[in-house]
Amino acid sequence: MTFVILTALGAGAQEPDKRHVTPVKPETNRVQPPPKGTDEKIIQQYISGDSTAAIQEARKDSLRRAYKRYPRLTDLSIGVNLTEPLFMAFGQSYASADVSATLNMWNRVQPTVELGLGWAKNTPDDMNFTYKGKPSPYFKIGANYNFLFKNSPDYQVLLGVRLGYSTFSYDVTDVYYVNSYWNEDIPFAIKGEHSHALWGEAGLGLKVKLWDRVAMGWMIRYHGIFDYGKNANSRPWFIPGYGPRGSSLGLSLSIFYTLPLHREAAVSVDDNNQHP
């Protein structure tokens, strides 16, 4: 009995305490490859051990990938403004009709040009004259900003600014002067008056796709006159492209045909034509 106990003690003295180590599974001890398309700069930061900067850059890269990037020259839209000709068909006494060309850049900034004609014929109820504005040209230059630039160009919410100018002529007829001595009305007319006007506009609008490349757009515009030509005997009542001289609001309703300027509506993050 004593021999057995001594043998057991001797064996215990010869073997040190064993440490238990949990084995690592091979599949959990691998370095995962970066996602396909990861920027080389991010990969090099991980390799160099700068993991904090790599994580921040990866977060920015993921945000860039979450949204489409559109080319510098996205599309060109040709539009026809039908608002006032339609209103004139329902009794309005003046109209301005124009065509426009809008270049969509990065689906965000949109330089635009508008060219048109305006005319009028009106006899105000409380006035003793008839105003006739002869068909005269006008043009506007400006730009739109698309708030939905991260989305499809098919649907846009726009903020627009314009600078407009027109040179025009008009007649004022059926004017009656009351002769107090003879107590009778003496008619006269003012013809061939010439004038010009410079004004500015700011507006909010929508543009939506109808089908294929055809779209419709609306814009409510606030405008104000910077300067206009005054004549000795009259003032222009109507300004082509602006409307009645005393007005401050306008509305445009246009039909657009869009011409794509790039093979793809959206390009990859590595495309050279990146928006600013």
Side-chain angles (χ1 to χ4, degrees):
M1 186 64 171
T2 302
F3 175 76
V4 173
I5 294 173
L6 291 175
T7 302
L9 291 174
Q14 293 176 0
E15 295 182 8
D17 293 339
K18 294 183 179 181
R19 298 179 62 187
H20 297 279
V21 179
T22 303
V24 178
K25 297 181 180 179
E27 62 270 14
T28 63
N29 196 28
R30 294 184 303 174
V31 177
Q32 296 293 331
K36 184 179 180 180
T38 300
D39 190 275
E40 182 65 24
K41 177 182 176 181
I42 301 175
I43 296 176
Q44 292 301 324
Q45 288 174 331
Y46 272 114
I47 294 175
S48 65
D50 191 0
S51 59
T52 301
I55 292 172
Q56 293 177 349
E57 189 65 28
R59 184 180 295 110
K60 295 178 182 179
D61 186 64
S62 65
L63 290 175
R64 288 193 294 265
R65 294 173 182 278
Y67 302 108
K68 295 180 179 179
R69 283 183 174 272
Y70 290 90
R72 180 181 294 108
L73 302 180
T74 307
D75 55 57
L76 176 67
S77 294
I78 306 299
V80 179
N81 184 2
L82 304 174
T83 312
E84 292 187 353
L86 289 175
F87 288 170
M88 202 171 192
F90 289 94
Q92 185 172 274
S93 58
Y94 59 87
S96 295
D98 57 64
V99 295
S100 64
T102 303
L103 179 62
N104 189 6
M105 304 177 67
W106 302 289
N107 195 36
R108 179 183 291 194
V109 182
Q110 303 175 354
T112 182
V113 177
E114 302 174 12
L115 301 173
L117 287 175
W119 63 95
K121 185 176 182 180
N122 183 38
T123 304
D125 295 335
D126 56 346
M127 297 294 179
N128 62 336
F129 66 86
T130 296
Y131 183 95
K132 183 177 181 180
K134 300 175 183 180
S136 302
Y138 66 89
F139 74 91
K140 303 177 186 180
I141 57 174
N144 300 326
Y145 182 85
N146 178 22
F147 290 101
L148 301 183
F149 61 89
K150 296 178 181 179
N151 302 320
S152 169
D154 295 341
Y155 302 94
Q156 302 177 11
V157 176
L158 303 170
L159 172 66
V161 292
R162 304 284 189 276
L163 181 67
Y165 180 81
S166 177
T167 177
F168 54 95
S169 59
Y170 61 92
D171 298 333
V172 181
T173 61
D174 301 329
V175 183
Y176 288 91
Y177 168 74
V178 179
N179 187 316
S180 58
Y181 181 81
W182 297 105
N183 195 25
E184 62 181 2
D185 294 339
I186 301 175
F188 68 95
I190 304 172
K191 294 187 177 182
E193 296 283 75
H194 298 278
S195 185
H196 64 273
L198 176 70
W199 69 92
E201 300 179 355
L204 288 173
L206 298 173
K207 183 180 178 183
V208 297
K209 177 180 177 180
L210 296 180
W211 67 86
D212 197 18
R213 297 182 181 179
V214 180
M216 178 177 289
W218 304 263
M219 182 168 284
I220 299 176
R221 310 187 185 199
Y222 175 83
H223 51 209
I225 298 174
F226 298 139
D227 181 54
Y228 72 96
K230 304 174 180 65
N231 295 302
N233 299 316
S234 66
R235 298 288 187 271
W237 172 78
F238 170 79
I239 298 173
Y242 183 90
R245 180 166 51 89
S247 67
S248 59
L249 290 176
L251 173 68
S252 64
L253 170 63
S254 302
I255 299 295
F256 296 96
Y257 185 81
T258 301
L259 301 172
L261 298 180
H262 198 275
R263 288 183 301 175
E264 298 179 0
V267 298
S268 67
V269 69
D270 296 325
D271 192 281
N272 292 329
N273 294 330
Q274 296 179 355
H275 63 72

Short mmCIF file of all heavy atoms in Angstrom, two decimals, residues 7 71 76 104 110 122 149 155-156 162 171 182 196-197 204 222 239 242 246 255 259 271:
data_model
loop_
_atom_site.label_atom_id
_atom_site.label_comp_id
_atom_site.label_asym_id
_atom_site.label_seq_id
_atom_site.Cartn_x
_atom_site.Cartn_y
_atom_site.Cartn_z
N THR A 7 4.58 5.63 -5.45
CA THR A 7 4.66 5.60 -6.92
C THR A 7 3.78 6.68 -7.52
O THR A 7 4.15 7.38 -8.46
CB THR A 7 4.23 4.22 -7.44
OG1 THR A 7 5.07 3.23 -6.85
CG2 THR A 7 4.34 4.16 -8.95
N PRO A 71 -22.76 61.26 -65.74
CA PRO A 71 -21.67 61.91 -66.49
C PRO A 71 -21.86 63.41 -66.55
O PRO A 71 -22.94 63.94 -66.31
CB PRO A 71 -21.81 61.28 -67.89
CG PRO A 71 -23.23 60.84 -67.98
CD PRO A 71 -23.60 60.41 -66.59
N LEU A 76 -29.74 66.36 -73.09
CA LEU A 76 -30.17 67.66 -73.61
C LEU A 76 -31.66 67.60 -73.84
O LEU A 76 -32.15 66.69 -74.53
CB LEU A 76 -29.44 67.98 -74.92
CG LEU A 76 -29.88 69.27 -75.64
CD1 LEU A 76 -29.49 70.49 -74.81
CD2 LEU A 76 -29.24 69.34 -77.03
N ASN A 104 -28.35 69.16 -69.27
CA ASN A 104 -28.29 68.55 -67.94
C ASN A 104 -26.87 68.07 -67.67
O ASN A 104 -26.37 67.16 -68.33
CB ASN A 104 -29.28 67.39 -67.86
CG ASN A 104 -29.43 66.87 -66.45
OD1 ASN A 104 -28.89 67.43 -65.50
ND2 ASN A 104 -30.18 65.79 -66.30
N GLN A 110 -28.16 72.74 -64.64
CA GLN A 110 -28.78 72.70 -65.95
C GLN A 110 -28.82 74.09 -66.59
O GLN A 110 -29.80 74.83 -66.43
CB GLN A 110 -30.19 72.14 -65.85
CG GLN A 110 -30.26 70.75 -65.23
CD GLN A 110 -31.68 70.27 -65.03
OE1 GLN A 110 -32.65 71.01 -65.26
NE2 GLN A 110 -31.84 69.04 -64.59
N ASN A 122 -55.60 94.08 -75.91
CA ASN A 122 -56.43 94.16 -74.73
C ASN A 122 -57.09 95.54 -74.63
O ASN A 122 -56.48 96.57 -74.90
CB ASN A 122 -55.57 93.93 -73.48
CG ASN A 122 -56.39 93.93 -72.20
OD1 ASN A 122 -57.50 93.42 -72.19
ND2 ASN A 122 -55.84 94.49 -71.14
N PHE A 149 -30.65 65.17 -57.70
CA PHE A 149 -29.54 64.80 -58.58
C PHE A 149 -29.01 63.40 -58.31
O PHE A 149 -28.33 62.82 -59.16
CB PHE A 149 -28.41 65.82 -58.46
CG PHE A 149 -27.82 65.93 -57.08
CD1 PHE A 149 -26.75 65.13 -56.70
CD2 PHE A 149 -28.32 66.84 -56.16
CE1 PHE A 149 -26.20 65.23 -55.44
CE2 PHE A 149 -27.77 66.95 -54.89
CZ PHE A 149 -26.71 66.15 -54.53
N TYR A 155 -37.28 62.13 -62.99
CA TYR A 155 -38.08 62.91 -62.03
C TYR A 155 -37.17 63.94 -61.37
O TYR A 155 -36.17 63.58 -60.75
CB TYR A 155 -38.73 62.01 -61.00
CG TYR A 155 -39.61 60.95 -61.64
CD1 TYR A 155 -39.10 59.68 -61.92
CD2 TYR A 155 -40.92 61.24 -61.99
CE1 TYR A 155 -39.90 58.72 -62.54
CE2 TYR A 155 -41.72 60.30 -62.61
CZ TYR A 155 -41.20 59.05 -62.88
OH TYR A 155 -41.99 58.11 -63.50
N GLN A 156 -37.53 65.22 -61.49
CA GLN A 156 -36.68 66.29 -61.01
C GLN A 156 -37.49 67.33 -60.25
O GLN A 156 -38.64 67.63 -60.61
CB GLN A 156 -35.97 66.97 -62.19
CG GLN A 156 -35.12 66.03 -63.03
CD GLN A 156 -34.49 66.71 -64.23
OE1 GLN A 156 -34.50 67.93 -64.34
NE2 GLN A 156 -33.93 65.92 -65.13
N ARG A 162 -33.54 83.07 -64.09
CA ARG A 162 -33.49 83.52 -65.48
C ARG A 162 -33.22 85.02 -65.53
O ARG A 162 -33.61 85.78 -64.64
CB ARG A 162 -34.82 83.25 -66.21
CG ARG A 162 -35.29 81.82 -66.21
CD ARG A 162 -34.51 80.96 -67.19
NE ARG A 162 -35.14 79.65 -67.30
CZ ARG A 162 -34.93 78.64 -66.47
NH1 ARG A 162 -34.09 78.80 -65.45
NH2 ARG A 162 -35.52 77.48 -66.65
N ASP A 171 -49.04 99.62 -80.19
CA ASP A 171 -49.95 100.72 -80.52
C ASP A 171 -50.95 100.90 -79.39
O ASP A 171 -51.35 99.92 -78.74
CB ASP A 171 -50.73 100.43 -81.81
CG ASP A 171 -49.83 100.28 -83.03
OD1 ASP A 171 -48.73 100.87 -83.02
OD2 ASP A 171 -50.22 99.56 -83.98
N TRP A 182 -66.34 122.04 -76.03
CA TRP A 182 -67.38 121.57 -76.94
C TRP A 182 -68.18 120.42 -76.33
O TRP A 182 -69.17 119.99 -76.92
CB TRP A 182 -66.75 121.12 -78.27
CG TRP A 182 -66.08 122.23 -79.02
CD1 TRP A 182 -64.76 122.45 -79.14
CD2 TRP A 182 -66.73 123.26 -79.75
NE1 TRP A 182 -64.50 123.55 -79.90
CE2 TRP A 182 -65.73 124.09 -80.30
CE3 TRP A 182 -68.08 123.59 -79.99
CZ2 TRP A 182 -66.00 125.21 -81.07
CZ3 TRP A 182 -68.34 124.72 -80.77
CH2 TRP A 182 -67.33 125.51 -81.29
N HIS A 196 -38.18 98.55 -74.72
CA HIS A 196 -37.38 97.37 -74.38
C HIS A 196 -37.52 97.13 -72.89
O HIS A 196 -37.96 98.00 -72.14
CB HIS A 196 -35.92 97.57 -74.75
CG HIS A 196 -35.26 98.68 -73.96
ND1 HIS A 196 -35.30 100.01 -74.35
CD2 HIS A 196 -34.58 98.67 -72.78
CE1 HIS A 196 -34.67 100.75 -73.46
NE2 HIS A 196 -34.23 99.96 -72.49
N ALA A 197 -37.13 95.95 -72.45
CA ALA A 197 -37.23 95.63 -71.02
C ALA A 197 -36.19 94.58 -70.64
O ALA A 197 -35.86 93.69 -71.44
CB ALA A 197 -38.62 95.12 -70.66
N LEU A 204 -39.69 77.76 -58.89
CA LEU A 204 -39.65 76.37 -58.44
C LEU A 204 -40.48 75.54 -59.40
O LEU A 204 -41.57 75.95 -59.81
CB LEU A 204 -40.21 76.24 -57.02
CG LEU A 204 -39.36 76.79 -55.89
CD1 LEU A 204 -40.13 76.74 -54.57
CD2 LEU A 204 -38.05 76.01 -55.75
N TYR A 222 -41.43 83.85 -59.98
CA TYR A 222 -41.57 85.21 -59.46
C TYR A 222 -40.61 86.08 -60.26
O TYR A 222 -39.42 85.76 -60.39
CB TYR A 222 -41.21 85.25 -57.97
CG TYR A 222 -41.23 86.65 -57.41
CD1 TYR A 222 -42.43 87.25 -57.00
CD2 TYR A 222 -40.04 87.38 -57.29
CE1 TYR A 222 -42.45 88.54 -56.49
CE2 TYR A 222 -40.05 88.67 -56.77
CZ TYR A 222 -41.26 89.25 -56.39
OH TYR A 222 -41.27 90.52 -55.91
N ILE A 239 -45.16 93.20 -71.79
CA ILE A 239 -43.78 92.94 -72.17
C ILE A 239 -43.67 91.49 -72.62
O ILE A 239 -43.98 90.57 -71.84
CB ILE A 239 -42.82 93.20 -70.99
CG1 ILE A 239 -42.89 94.67 -70.57
CG2 ILE A 239 -41.39 92.82 -71.36
CD1 ILE A 239 -42.12 94.97 -69.31
N TYR A 242 -42.57 88.39 -70.42
CA TYR A 242 -42.77 88.77 -69.02
C TYR A 242 -44.24 88.74 -68.64
O TYR A 242 -44.63 88.18 -67.62
CB TYR A 242 -42.18 90.16 -68.78
CG TYR A 242 -42.27 90.64 -67.35
CD1 TYR A 242 -41.24 90.38 -66.46
CD2 TYR A 242 -43.38 91.35 -66.89
CE1 TYR A 242 -41.31 90.82 -65.14
CE2 TYR A 242 -43.47 91.78 -65.58
CZ TYR A 242 -42.44 91.52 -64.71
OH TYR A 242 -42.52 91.93 -63.41
N GLY A 246 -47.28 95.18 -64.64
CA GLY A 246 -47.50 95.21 -63.20
C GLY A 246 -47.57 93.87 -62.52
O GLY A 246 -47.77 93.80 -61.31
N ILE A 255 -43.62 70.94 -72.63
CA ILE A 255 -43.40 69.55 -73.05
C ILE A 255 -41.95 69.45 -73.52
O ILE A 255 -41.48 70.28 -74.31
CB ILE A 255 -44.36 69.15 -74.18
CG1 ILE A 255 -45.81 69.23 -73.70
CG2 ILE A 255 -44.04 67.74 -74.67
CD1 ILE A 255 -46.16 68.26 -72.61
N LEU A 259 -32.72 64.16 -75.25
CA LEU A 259 -31.72 63.43 -76.03
C LEU A 259 -30.57 63.01 -75.11
O LEU A 259 -29.87 63.87 -74.57
CB LEU A 259 -31.17 64.32 -77.15
CG LEU A 259 -32.19 64.85 -78.16
CD1 LEU A 259 -31.53 65.88 -79.08
CD2 LEU A 259 -32.77 63.72 -78.97
N ASP A 271 -15.46 56.42 -63.10
CA ASP A 271 -15.57 57.18 -64.34
C ASP A 271 -14.86 58.53 -64.18
O ASP A 271 -14.89 59.15 -63.14
CB ASP A 271 -17.04 57.41 -64.69
CG ASP A 271 -17.21 57.94 -66.10
OD1 ASP A 271 -16.99 59.14 -66.32
OD2 ASP A 271 -17.58 57.14 -66.97
#
